């Protein structure tokens, strides 16, 4: 029997506590509740399951507002009842005036921010479509960039309507506010560290200004520390320690895909050997970590802002940013790393290097992982090292950015980036 998960819950008996999980599944994703199974997976069954189904149905209909879509079925062999609750369109789905969500295998109340997002989703709106806090906005930088990129002859309020930044009913929206020359919103905090994080060599905070300007200033900071001029004879060549294309894509992704309803900055930490870009907000609903890393699929959290960046050619196509970052490191043995959590996405861009920086034993493991993903046991068998040594070497290569870890526990595999 499977253990409980985010989308699967066991109930040994029927009590109103399951209604919190009904709310969570209706709000955040289809899930299943199995009645007649203990927490440890032991099958107990439900007495008089037909009568129990009617009880479950009545409890949902009387206590969840609005009533979500669901199905009930009975396993005739063991009297286990399956309740499948579908994610609904009319969010939030409330139980006793509260919305709930799943946190791993537990059900917890949604906080105020999550409730606000559910209300917007139920109205088929996003945060960027909400009215701006200020309607006194100017767009000189946006006008300059659009005129150059699209060869426009005229920039007016109609232009802003076409770009979905303004409507007669609500005026400017938050997307417009983010693109305005001046605003009251957060932005990007960039720190250049020294030998340790206790030593700060440089710091710039770009807030209360257009995200287009924030993008430009971030690139200037990057060029200051990760590009230099190399003179070959009469020629002067610009050398990038970290691919500029990768940094551009990472910053653009952070601005376009972050959650803007969280009042905190995008953090860019610059070190001698890497840049770490941390963007508030995890993955949008409907996209898995695997799909995000593979690229090609883009569920837009901020559709209007993404459209502007696309028109200005600051991004190429939706869903290709991660692939472009990876491609820019094709000639480097050390690769970018992606750390995805529920509340943030961090992209680490290492200084490009060849495998000469590896020890002899690390090179052995790295060469084996270039062709296929292997477990620590398989690495030990192929390399001749002990399993413990092979595991330690693989983890060190992961820390250095040469190797990516797939899965966890006994299913853990390692593969070259």
């Amino acid at each position: 029997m499977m253990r409980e998960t985010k989308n699967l819950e066991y109930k040994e008996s029927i009590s109103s506590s399951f209604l919190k999980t009904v709310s969570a599944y209706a709000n955040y994703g289809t899930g299943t509740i199995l009645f007649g199974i203990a927490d440890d997976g032991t099958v107990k069954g439900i007495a008089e399951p037909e009568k129990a189904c009617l009880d479950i149905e009545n409890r949902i209909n009387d206590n969840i507002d609005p009533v979500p879509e669901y199905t009930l079925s009975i396993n005739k062999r063991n009297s286990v009842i399956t309740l499948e609750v579908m994610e609904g369109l009319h969010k939030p789905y409330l139980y006793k005036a509260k919305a709930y969500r799943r946190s791993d295998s537990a059900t917890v109340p949604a906080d105020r921010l999550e409730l606000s997002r559910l209300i917007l989703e139920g109205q088929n709106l996003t945060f960027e479509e909400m009215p701006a806090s200020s309607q006194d906005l100017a767009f000189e930088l946006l006008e300059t960039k659009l005129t150059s990129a699209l060869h426009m002859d005229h920039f007016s309020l109609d232009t802003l309507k076409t770009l979905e930044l303004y409507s007669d009913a609500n005026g400017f929206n938050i997307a417009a506010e983010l693109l305005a020359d001046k605003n009251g919103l957060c932005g990007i905090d960039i720190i250049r560290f020294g030998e340790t994080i206790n030593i700060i060599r440089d710091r710039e905070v770009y807030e209360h200004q257009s995200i287009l300007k924030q993008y430009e200033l971030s690139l200037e900071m990057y060029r200051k520390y990760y590009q230099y001029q190399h003179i070959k004879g009469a020629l002067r060549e610009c050398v990038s320690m970290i691919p500029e294309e990768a940094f551009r894509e990472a910053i653009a992704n952070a601005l376009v895909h972050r959650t803007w309803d969280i009042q905190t900055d995008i953090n860019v930490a610059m070190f001698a050997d890497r840049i770490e870009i941390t963007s508030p907000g995890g993955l949008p609903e409907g996209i898995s970590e695997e799909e995000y890393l593979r690229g090609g699929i883009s569920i837009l959290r901020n559709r209007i802002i993404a459209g502007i960046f696309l028109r200005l050619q600051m991004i190429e196509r939706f869903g290709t940013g991660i692939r472009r970052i990876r491609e820019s490191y094709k000639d480097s043995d050390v690769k970018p790393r992606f750390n995805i959590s529920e509340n943030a996405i961090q992209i680490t861009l290492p200084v490009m290097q060849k495998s000469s920086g590896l020890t002899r034993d690390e090179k052995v493991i790295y060469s084996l992982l270039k062709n296929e993903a292997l477990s620590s046991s398989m690495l030990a068998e192929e390399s001749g090292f002990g399993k413990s040594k092979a595991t330690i070497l693989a983890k060190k290569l992961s820390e250095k950015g040469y190797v990516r870890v797939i899965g966890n526990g006994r299913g853990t595999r390692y593969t070259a980036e």
Side-chain angles (χ1 to χ4, degrees):
M1 180 67 67
M2 293 178 58
R3 71 174 186 86
E4 290 184 303
T5 66
K6 188 174 184 178
N7 300 104
L8 176 65
E9 181 170 82
Y10 297 148
K11 291 292 184 183
E12 186 172 343
S13 59
I14 299 171
S15 68
S16 292
S17 65
F18 83 90
L19 293 169
K20 296 178 182 179
T21 304
V22 172
S23 165
Y25 289 152
N27 284 322
Y28 288 100
T30 298
T32 301
I33 302 173
L34 298 180
F35 295 93
I37 297 182
D39 290 342
D40 62 3
T42 303
V43 177
K44 302 287 188 178
I46 294 291
E48 300 184 83
E50 289 83 3
K51 183 179 178 181
C53 280
L54 183 60
D55 181 26
I56 292 169
E57 185 175 343
N58 287 335
R59 289 179 191 243
I60 294 174
N61 294 345
D62 292 342
N63 292 282
I64 304 295
D65 182 30
V67 178
E69 183 181 351
Y70 62 91
T71 61
L72 282 164
S73 61
I74 300 170
N75 186 321
K76 299 296 185 182
R77 289 179 293 128
N78 57 18
S79 296
V80 169
I81 298 172
T82 297
L83 168 64
E84 184 176 19
V85 182
M86 287 63 171
E87 181 176 4
L89 298 175
H90 307 294
K91 302 173 183 179
Y93 291 84
L94 306 176
Y95 170 58
K96 292 187 176 179
K98 287 186 178 181
Y100 288 85
R101 66 176 179 85
R102 294 286 278 177
S103 177
D104 194 15
S105 59
T107 301
V108 298
D111 61 29
R112 183 176 298 179
L113 178 60
E114 291 164 336
L115 179 59
S116 298
R117 291 173 179 170
L118 286 171
I119 292 171
L120 286 175
E121 193 174 346
Q123 297 171 347
N124 199 28
L125 293 173
T126 58
F127 182 72
E128 66 169 355
E129 295 175 279
M130 296 294 290
S133 59
S134 171
Q135 293 295 313
D136 183 19
L137 303 176
F139 301 92
E140 184 177 336
L141 180 59
L142 177 62
E143 178 179 358
T144 299
K145 289 190 170 295
L146 284 172
T147 301
S148 174
L150 304 180
H151 308 290
M152 292 170 46
D153 296 325
H154 183 63
F155 183 90
S156 66
L157 191 61
D158 286 336
T159 308
L160 296 172
K161 288 181 180 179
T162 301
L163 297 172
E164 297 184 70
L165 300 174
Y166 182 89
S167 70
D168 291 328
N170 298 310
F172 292 115
N173 56 28
I174 290 175
E177 193 170 8
L178 286 165
L179 291 158
D181 298 327
K182 294 182 180 180
N183 57 53
L185 300 170
C186 51
I188 302 176
D189 184 359
I190 303 183
I191 301 178
R192 169 66 180 190
F193 291 101
E195 291 75 19
T196 71
I197 59 173
N198 296 320
I199 301 174
I200 297 177
R201 300 291 190 194
D202 197 357
R203 184 173 188 177
E204 297 288 348
V205 180
Y206 307 130
E207 295 179 326
H208 313 313
Q209 58 189 307
S210 171
I211 57 175
L212 302 177
K213 188 64 176 178
Q214 294 176 29
Y215 175 83
E216 291 179 346
L217 293 172
S218 299
L219 282 175
E220 290 178 12
M221 191 79 156
Y222 152 82
R223 290 168 183 151
K224 181 178 178 180
Y225 291 107
Y226 298 96
Q227 287 184 345
Y228 62 92
Q229 299 294 319
H230 181 63
I231 300 174
K232 290 184 179 180
L235 299 176
R236 186 183 295 269
E237 181 183 79
C238 179
V239 178
S240 297
M241 299 165 63
I242 290 174
E244 180 171 320
E245 182 179 18
F247 185 78
R248 283 177 176 272
E249 290 288 344
I251 288 293
N253 265 275
L255 290 167
V256 167
H257 297 300
R258 65 158 288 175
T259 50
W260 283 103
D261 53 1
I262 299 176
Q263 287 297 304
T264 187
D265 292 329
I266 296 165
N267 291 316
V268 180
M270 293 181 165
F271 302 89
D273 63 341
R274 69 193 187 280
I275 300 175
E276 295 175 353
I277 301 167
T278 305
S279 176
L283 294 175
E285 289 291 327
I287 183 171
S288 68
E289 181 173 338
E290 181 183 355
E291 289 169 334
Y292 170 81
L293 294 174
R294 187 171 63 241
I297 298 177
S298 183
I299 295 176
L300 299 175
R301 177 180 278 128
N302 304 300
R303 176 185 57 81
I304 298 172
I305 294 172
I308 299 293
F309 272 61
L310 183 65
R311 289 171 186 265
L312 295 178
Q313 300 175 10
M314 295 165 68
I315 56 177
E316 286 216 351
R317 283 191 298 117
F318 299 142
T320 61
I322 301 304
R323 287 192 305 195
R324 289 169 61 79
I325 290 172
R326 290 185 184 277
E327 179 64 19
S328 68
Y329 275 85
K330 65 180 184 301
D331 296 325
S332 173
D333 286 324
V334 62
K335 306 296 184 183
R337 301 193 299 274
F338 304 88
N339 183 23
I340 300 168
S341 67
E342 184 177 353
N343 298 311
I345 295 176
Q346 184 180 82
I347 299 177
T348 301
L349 304 176
V351 170
M352 292 189 294
Q353 57 182 274
K354 297 295 182 181
S355 58
S356 55
L358 300 181
T359 66
R360 183 176 62 183
D361 290 347
E362 287 173 340
K363 288 179 181 178
V364 171
I365 297 296
Y366 181 60
S367 63
L368 291 172
L369 295 175
K370 279 187 173 181
N371 299 319
E372 59 180 324
L374 300 173
S375 65
S376 54
S377 298
M378 296 163 71
L379 278 173
E381 182 179 343
E382 294 286 335
S383 65
F385 300 144
K387 182 179 178 181
S388 178
K389 180 177 180 178
T391 303
I392 291 171
L393 289 169
K395 288 181 177 178
K396 284 184 177 179
L397 288 168
S398 173
E399 292 170 359
K400 293 180 178 181
Y402 288 89
V403 163
R404 177 160 52 97
V405 181
I406 303 171
N408 53 62
R410 293 185 176 181
T412 300
R413 297 287 187 274
Y414 303 92
T415 184
E417 284 281 15

